[in-house]
Amino acid sequence: MSRRRKRRKKDSGKIDESWLLPYADLMTLLLALFIVLFASSSIDAEKLEEMSAVFNEIFDGGKGIMDHSAPSSAPIPKEYISDREEINSYIEDQKSLEGIRNRVDEYIAVHELENQFETTMTEEGLLVTIRDSILFNPGSAAIKEEYLPLAAELAELLVFDPPRQIVIAGHTDNVPMNSAEFSSNWDLSVMRAVNLLKLIMKNEHVDPLLFSAKGYGEFQPIGDNDTAEGRSKNRRVEVLIKPLILQDGTINPIE
């Protein structure tokens, strides 16, 4: 009788641990859910790679808490795949712009134009800056005769496949302009951009629909107008080569 009581007492102290397996599964699923929510808040290529790697580790059989067979990789929702394709398109387009920049830089180096030409990658696209002294006489919008071939060669550099939008913008210093030909710096800056555009349009391979001209006068300086050096920097023509794909992955619309 006493042995039976001891056995019952010993058995009643045993703890059932069968609940640990479903609890572990639940914790793993919650972890996966939080990873998805975190990644979806701001998707980019790096996060997608990180998310995929974490999913692989979580669901790879025998490596996590759940010791059972599972798919070798986690499926990525369709909307993530779409986002990734858009991001990749943007990155590829930026690489293409860098290739264009390299070709322009090579042209600048071959013709020893480093003091007159400059290329810069900006949020708006590839910016080619041309000092006004190489193209125009002071107060004039007519391109110098000796630099007409340079304008034709520049047009060749602006032939792309697929075509890109090009914006040519004129800028001046803040010295007032009041001549018989131009009543303001705005007038001068616009006509300089337009005259360069006209020369580029002589190339039959460029599409006029994708080109435009603007004039900003003295209102977008890049140098100090109180110094001769600063005013020289401000007198310029800029050629902006726009991206095909915007940073959000959408196609850059024609303006």
Side-chain angles (χ1 to χ4, degrees):
M1 190 71 172
S2 61
R3 289 180 181 177
R4 192 175 298 169
R5 288 178 180 173
K6 289 180 180 179
R7 188 178 295 117
R8 288 177 180 173
K9 185 175 182 180
K10 185 177 181 180
D11 293 341
S12 64
K14 185 178 180 180
I15 300 175
D16 185 6
E17 297 181 353
S18 61
W19 60 274
L20 286 175
L21 184 58
Y23 177 80
D25 290 352
L26 178 61
M27 291 298 100
T28 304
L29 290 173
L30 284 174
L31 174 61
L33 174 62
F34 285 127
I35 292 172
V36 172
L37 292 174
F38 172 76
S40 63
S41 65
S42 179
I43 287 294
D44 57 32
E46 185 178 351
K47 283 186 179 179
L48 281 169
E49 291 294 337
E50 292 175 357
M51 183 179 71
S52 179
V54 173
F55 268 108
N56 288 341
E57 185 172 348
I58 291 174
F59 292 108
D60 193 10
K63 291 185 180 180
I65 299 175
M66 296 186 295
D67 192 10
H68 59 78
S69 61
S72 59
S73 62
I76 300 177
K78 291 182 179 180
E79 58 266 27
Y80 293 168
I81 295 174
S82 176
D83 287 342
R84 188 169 189 174
E85 288 175 351
E86 291 175 349
I87 291 169
N88 288 340
S89 297
Y90 171 75
I91 293 173
E92 289 301 316
D93 187 48
Q94 289 296 302
K95 290 180 180 178
S96 178
L97 276 176
E98 282 289 354
I100 295 170
R101 181 185 187 182
N102 292 337
R103 291 197 297 274
V104 176
D105 284 343
E106 183 179 357
Y107 175 85
I108 293 171
V110 169
H111 293 81
E112 299 181 348
L113 298 171
E114 290 86 353
N115 293 329
Q116 290 83 23
F117 278 67
E118 182 181 1
T119 61
T120 311
M121 288 296 295
T122 71
E123 292 183 357
E124 294 182 285
L126 172 59
L127 189 67
V128 181
T129 302
I130 309 171
R131 300 281 178 255
D132 78 326
S133 58
I134 193 173
L135 295 178
F136 310 99
N137 288 316
S140 173
I143 295 178
K144 297 176 184 178
E145 191 75 22
E146 62 268 31
Y147 290 113
L148 293 178
L150 185 147
E153 291 171 0
L154 177 61
E156 285 294 331
L157 293 172
L158 299 179
V159 176
F160 309 117
D161 185 20
R164 294 175 178 272
Q165 292 185 67
I166 310 292
V167 180
I168 301 175
H171 301 265
T172 69
D173 57 26
N174 66 345
V175 177
M177 171 59 60
N178 189 9
S179 66
E181 188 176 4
F182 304 108
S183 61
S184 69
N185 282 323
W186 260 326
D187 295 340
L188 176 61
S189 64
V190 169
M191 287 311 302
R192 284 181 169 181
V194 169
N195 286 342
L196 179 58
L197 177 58
K198 287 179 179 179
L199 288 178
I200 292 173
M201 287 298 104
K202 290 183 177 181
N203 188 311
E204 61 182 9
H205 299 294
V206 299
D207 184 355
L209 179 64
L210 298 175
F211 282 74
S212 60
K214 296 181 178 180
Y216 292 99
E218 70 264 35
F219 298 105
Q220 289 192 3
I222 58 175
D224 186 358
N225 273 315
D226 292 332
T227 66
E229 182 181 359
R231 289 191 296 272
S232 176
K233 288 183 178 180
N234 293 334
R235 297 190 299 269
R236 67 198 189 278
V237 174
E238 295 176 338
V239 179
L240 176 63
I241 305 169
K242 290 194 171 185
L244 296 173
I245 308 296
L246 298 177
Q247 195 166 5
D248 61 3
T250 59
I251 297 175
N252 194 3
I254 298 175
E255 295 181 352

